[in-house]
């Protein structure tokens, strides 16, 4: 790719949303590049099993991601393995800067950078990360075969990952701060039916304690009585939601109080030509199928936007400052 190349569309982020956008953009004949710093697939790669993506009753996250990638590449999507350091909106063209210093220009940009696991912010969490503290059961569960683990959280992630861990571990405790799980009903039923899982209701984790070999116990507190106790464990898996990766979202873009980007029904932000899709977008459901749908919507909207701009002949050359 030559330096300072001009694209119709740049997609930042290679999860289900970004790759779906890539498929639709290529089918709409947009000159498109997708930029992803990690392995394409996004958070889904970390899922042991995906059971709610239509057409696949059971598929691993890694395999589904691979299928998205293959599908997009079959249409000739250019995929660039690079870190994006900045996205600067322009009046004519938007500029995307890469970690290696290159700058790419595009009529439209789709930001699909998703979110990252939220920290619990308790003593020991950072210190013992990788030494018994984990945010990914599929990645680290193997190390806890026939051992005891504590899972923190009550949502879909905590429930799914607990069920995965129950296949390996001797005992799984779910510490949940309330008296009811947030996870979907089917997952709740499976949790109840799994004899290796015990839910510790109204319980928060206050501290992670370790010795030279790694995590050995957690401090727990009953949210109703205030009683504190220690529970022996070999590992702690934290699934308390995630935070939107909004670092690259240009200043002035409308976001909600939690840092998710507000868009219209075309996934367009308040900056013309900049779209946000997937888990970074403010919306009701954060699911693979929704991210994929966002990708479709944004790519079709971007195609219309780019065609309209080109037809109006408002932009035909790289601006002088871009080439400098
Ligand atoms: P989530 O739905 O936001 O759940 C986070 C859980 O952590 C909640 O139970 C919450 O408790 C608890 N929590 C949050 N902060 C806490 C703290 N400081 N201390 C203790 N507990 C805390 O997050 P998620 O499970 O990661 O799911 C994120 C999104 O992805 C959701 O929309 C979910 O439906 C979706 N998802 C879907 C699937 C699937 O469909 N296969 C799989 C994974 C995730 P409260 O309940 O009291 O708020």
């Amino acid at each position: 790719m030559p330096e300072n190349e001009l694209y119709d569309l740049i997609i930042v982020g290679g999860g289900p949303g970004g790759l779906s956008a890539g498929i639709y953009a290529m089918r709409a004949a947009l000159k498109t590049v997708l930029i992803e710093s990690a392995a394409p697939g996004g958070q889904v790669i970390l899922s042991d099993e995906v059971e709610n993506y239509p057409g696949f009753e059971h598929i691993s996250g890694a395999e589904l991601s691979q299928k998205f990638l293959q599908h997009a590449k079959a249409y000739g999507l250019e995929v660039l393995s690079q870190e994006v350091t900045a996205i600067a909106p322009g009046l004519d063209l938007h500029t995307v800067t890469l970690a290696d210093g290159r700058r790419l220009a595009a009529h439209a940009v789709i930001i699909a950078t998703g979110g990252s696991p939220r920290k619990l912010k308790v003593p020991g969490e950072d210190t013992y990360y990788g030494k018994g503290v984990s945010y990914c059961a599929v990645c680290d569960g193997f190390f806890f075969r026939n051992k005891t683990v504590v899972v923190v959280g009550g949502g879909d992630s905590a429930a799914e990952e607990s069920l995965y861990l129950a296949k390996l571990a001797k005992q799984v405790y779910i510490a949940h701060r309330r008296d009811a799980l947030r996870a979907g009903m089917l997952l709740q039923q499976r949790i109840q039916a799994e004899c290796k899982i015990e839910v510790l209701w109204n319980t928060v984790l206050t501290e992670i304690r370790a010795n030279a070999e790694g995590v050995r116990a957690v401090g727990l507190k009953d949210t109703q009585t205030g009683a504190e106790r220690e529970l022996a464990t070999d590992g702690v898996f934290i699934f308390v939601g995630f935070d939107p990766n909004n670092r690259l979202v240009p200043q002035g873009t409308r976001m909600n109080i939690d840092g998710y980007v507000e868009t219209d029904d075309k996934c367009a932000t308040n900056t013309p030509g900049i779209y946000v899709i997937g888990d970074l977008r403010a919306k009701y459901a954060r699911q693979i199928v929704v991210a994929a749908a966002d990708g479709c919507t944004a790519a079709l909207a971007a195609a219309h936007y780019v065609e309209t701009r080109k037809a109006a002949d408002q932009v035909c050359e790289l601006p002088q400052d871009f080439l400098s």
Side-chain angles (χ1 to χ4, degrees):
M1 181 185 54
E3 277 210 18
N4 297 345
E5 185 150 352
L6 173 60
Y7 288 90
D8 289 326
L9 173 66
I10 297 176
I11 300 167
V12 181
L19 288 167
S20 300
I23 292 169
Y24 276 82
M26 294 309 291
R27 288 172 59 88
L30 294 182
K31 183 179 178 194
T32 305
V33 62
L34 182 149
I35 310 169
E36 167 64 62
S37 57
Q43 290 246 117
V44 179
I45 294 180
L46 305 180
S47 284
D48 174 43
E49 270 197 82
V50 176
E51 298 182 335
N52 53 9
Y53 192 78
F56 299 96
E57 279 176 53
H58 302 277
I59 187 166
S60 76
E63 196 184 343
L64 185 60
S65 303
Q66 207 49 40
K67 284 184 183 292
F68 281 140
L69 180 63
Q70 279 164 6
H71 194 164
K73 282 194 163 174
Y75 288 110
L77 178 68
E78 181 183 346
V79 178
L80 191 57
S81 182
Q82 263 286 333
E83 192 192 337
V84 171
T85 54
I87 299 171
L91 281 180
D92 289 336
L93 296 168
H94 306 305
T95 306
V96 172
T97 306
L98 306 180
D100 66 6
R102 275 180 295 171
R103 289 190 300 156
L104 313 180
H107 297 283
V109 177
I110 294 178
I111 307 175
T113 46
S116 299
R118 186 176 294 157
K119 297 267 185 90
L120 199 51
K121 296 183 186 143
V122 294
E125 182 178 14
D126 288 340
T127 314
Y128 304 118
Y129 172 64
K131 297 176 193 132
V133 176
S134 171
Y135 302 88
C136 174
V138 180
C139 317
D140 300 325
F142 185 77
F143 301 114
F144 297 92
R145 272 190 311 169
N146 301 318
K147 294 190 173 178
T148 297
V149 294
V150 172
V151 169
V152 187
D156 283 335
S157 299
E160 276 187 356
E161 307 278 324
S162 297
L163 289 164
Y164 177 80
L165 287 166
K167 290 190 257 178
L168 301 161
K170 179 175 68 183
Q171 173 75 52
V172 178
Y173 293 105
I174 301 179
H176 182 39
R177 64 184 177 183
R178 291 191 292 126
D179 61 358
L181 295 177
R182 179 181 293 276
M185 203 43 79
L186 189 61
L187 284 170
Q188 291 196 32
Q189 286 165 359
R190 287 196 197 153
I191 295 280
Q192 273 169 12
E194 173 52 68
C195 58
K196 279 196 203 168
I197 297 178
E198 182 184 340
V199 183
L200 309 173
W201 301 109
N202 304 310
T203 301
V204 290
L205 192 149
T206 53
E207 187 181 356
I208 298 167
R209 297 165 191 156
N211 57 22
E213 276 121 61
V215 168
R216 60 162 188 84
V218 287
L220 299 176
K221 184 175 180 180
D222 188 306
T223 55
Q224 298 201 316
T225 64
E228 298 202 30
R229 66 181 171 117
E230 183 172 275
L231 178 69
T233 186
D234 302 294
V236 181
F237 287 80
I238 298 168
F239 304 107
V240 291
F242 64 86
D243 294 316
N245 290 335
N246 55 18
R247 189 178 55 84
L248 292 171
V249 174
Q251 264 195 347
T253 305
R254 207 172 296 133
M255 293 190 207
N256 69 16
I257 196 165
D258 298 317
Y260 292 92
V261 176
E262 304 275 10
T263 71
D264 66 10
D265 61 351
K266 294 189 179 102
C267 297
T269 68
N270 54 318
T271 304
I274 304 249
Y275 301 81
V276 165
I277 64 172
D279 286 351
L280 176 58
R281 188 169 82 82
K283 62 180 168 205
Y284 175 65
R286 292 184 209 295
Q287 301 286 311
I288 304 168
V289 68
V290 181
D294 280 1
C296 158
T297 303
L300 294 179
H304 181 70
Y305 173 82
V306 171
E307 280 159 19
T308 309
R309 284 194 69 88
K310 282 182 169 175
D313 203 22
Q314 287 174 328
V315 185
C316 53
E317 289 177 355
L318 289 172
Q320 283 308 310
D321 68 330
F322 181 73
L323 292 167
S324 61

